[in-house]
Amino acid sequence: MRTLQQRLAEGVVLGAEGYVFELERRGYVKAGPYVPEVVLDAPDALRQLHREFLRAGSDVMVALTYYAHRDKLRDVGRDGQLEDLNRAAVRIARESAAEGDALVAGNICNTWSYDPENPVRSGAAVRAQYEEQLGWAVDEGIDFVIAETNDYVGEALIGLEVCQALGLPAMVTFASVQPEQTYDGYDYVEACKRLADAGAAIVGLNCSRGPETMLPLLERIRGAVDCAVAAQPVPYRTDTHTPAFESLENPDGSRAFPIALEPFACTRFEMADFARRAADIGVNYIGVCCGGAPHHVRAMAEALGRTPVAGRYSPAMELHPVLGTGEEVMGNCAAG
Ligand SMILES: [Zn+2]
């Protein structure tokens, strides 16, 4: 099995996330709390989505432990199952990865416990949550850690330190919700540089921004750090007026995030284009976040020159009964 570092040295590593959004759409996760109860309640549904991302070409199976920390499980009255859920999520990711040639990533994220006004006391609570989550993950077997949707440099550094203490390579990414800076006041480029200087294997951005508003930041991050850079945007059409998808609005002024985002969805072609452009500027780990689905990942894999298993069923529009002839479509969707 090639390690993360070997794969990064050879070329782009393709990731795939968005498990929580996709499983919510499929009826296995509750929007609002977004706690991954599916791990315990419907493990086969999770296994199936891992398998679909694997067939689409993802090099990494990410354990679904996003928001599976003590505070969040307490919110839904399941903190007694914290360890079971964390262990099962890693086990399912590992078993899925073994169906192909994928790495297994443990996953931690912003905890909502960190308080920049009180970094020592709140930081200790954050550290304890990361230590217990990653302790179980290491026990079950992971290759590296993705610490993601970080809002604070202070909290991100704690995540990195816990990974380092466990001897695990860490990919640390920020959610660029605000126009320029993290919530503790670092320019996103400077934030990534801090994490790179502290020894992260990969730094970058995930979630919040779509391709168009993430790329300019990525270019600046690439120029500022020597380590590998990661980019996992949301597949939504954010723009300079609304750089983060949390603020996208419907025509009537209502908020589209998080469960009415369909009108802003990127096509597979737009995500394939993103993968090419990110690779061109030297991004090393390319994936998708919330909203991403297997068809996006497959198109991105193919744009990067891969031949994923699911490529067997990639479009062959020349064989469509009407579109293939070049004649005008007469209203037969041929979708069966
Ligand atoms: Zn996301």
Side-chain angles (χ1 to χ4, degrees):
M1 172 71 75
R2 290 169 304 142
T3 66
L4 175 66
Q5 290 301 348
Q6 284 169 331
R7 290 170 198 241
L8 289 169
E10 287 166 14
V12 170
V13 173
L14 184 63
E17 296 189 40
Y19 285 91
V20 169
F21 263 44
E22 182 61 22
L23 289 165
E24 190 277 333
R25 287 191 288 227
R26 295 183 186 191
Y28 296 101
V29 168
K30 185 179 278 294
Y34 284 116
V35 178
E37 299 170 86
V38 59
V39 173
L40 296 174
D41 297 347
D44 286 343
L46 174 58
R47 217 179 288 276
Q48 175 64 21
L49 183 54
H50 275 302
R51 189 170 288 143
E52 290 172 22
F53 279 140
L54 185 70
R55 292 177 75 254
S58 179
D59 296 315
V60 181
M61 292 290 102
V62 184
L64 182 51
T65 54
Y66 194 91
Y67 281 170
H69 51 71
R70 197 163 284 282
D71 285 357
K72 270 286 181 180
L73 262 81
R74 193 178 295 128
D75 287 351
V76 293
R78 298 187 78 158
D79 41 329
Q81 292 174 290
L82 181 67
E83 179 173 351
D84 288 348
L85 193 154
N86 273 271
R87 285 186 181 276
V90 177
R91 213 173 300 139
I92 291 168
R94 191 160 45 76
E95 288 164 4
S96 304
E99 293 179 12
D101 177 38
L103 296 169
V104 181
N107 186 229
I108 54 175
C109 60
N110 60 311
T111 63
W112 302 101
S113 304
Y114 187 75
D115 175 7
E117 301 296 316
N118 196 346
V120 175
R121 186 150 167 241
S122 67
V126 169
R127 187 180 301 269
Q129 295 191 49
Y130 289 160
E131 282 174 347
E132 70 180 351
Q133 269 195 290
L134 291 179
W136 295 320
V138 168
D139 218 31
E140 296 294 335
I142 55 174
D143 298 302
F144 71 108
V145 176
I146 296 178
E148 63 181 353
T149 54
N150 282 289
D151 291 318
Y152 301 101
V153 169
E155 190 173 38
L157 284 168
I158 294 169
L160 175 60
E161 285 166 16
V162 174
C163 294
Q164 288 170 327
L166 291 166
L168 292 164
M171 168 167 140
V172 185
T173 53
F174 289 90
S176 41
V177 185
Q178 303 200 110
E180 302 287 343
Q181 295 184 333
T182 64
Y183 282 107
D184 48 355
Y186 295 88
D187 181 276
Y188 289 115
V189 179
E190 174 63 18
C192 287
K193 194 167 168 359
R194 295 252 168 171
L195 270 296
D197 290 346
I202 310 175
V203 297
L205 306 173
N206 82 290
C207 216
S208 285
R209 293 186 186 226
E212 288 310 314
T213 54
M214 189 178 276
L215 276 163
L217 263 181
L218 290 169
E219 214 162 349
R220 290 172 50 215
I221 292 166
R222 177 66 285 172
V225 302
D226 294 324
C227 68
V229 170
Q232 301 207 86
V234 294
Y236 295 107
R237 292 176 185 148
T238 55
D239 56 32
T240 46
H241 175 67
T242 312
F245 81 150
E246 288 90 344
S247 304
L248 288 170
E249 287 181 358
N250 295 308
D252 67 1
S254 64
R255 188 190 283 267
F257 174 85
I259 47 174
L261 285 160
E262 283 86 350
F264 301 96
C266 291
T267 65
R268 66 186 75 189
F269 303 104
E270 291 168 292
M271 294 311 291
D273 188 48
F274 169 78
R276 269 187 294 266
R277 290 160 73 192
D280 282 350
I281 62 170
V283 175
N284 313 83
Y285 187 111
I286 299 173
V288 281
C289 205
C290 303
H295 70 300
H296 291 127
V297 179
R298 180 179 62 187
M300 294 165 79
E302 291 178 336
L304 296 171
R306 315 280 177 87
T307 49
V309 174
R312 177 175 176 194
Y313 303 104
S314 285
M317 296 314 295
E318 69 279 9
L319 299 180
H320 185 278
V322 179
L323 296 177
T325 66
E327 285 169 25
E328 203 170 324
V329 181
M330 296 301 285
N332 183 339
C333 77

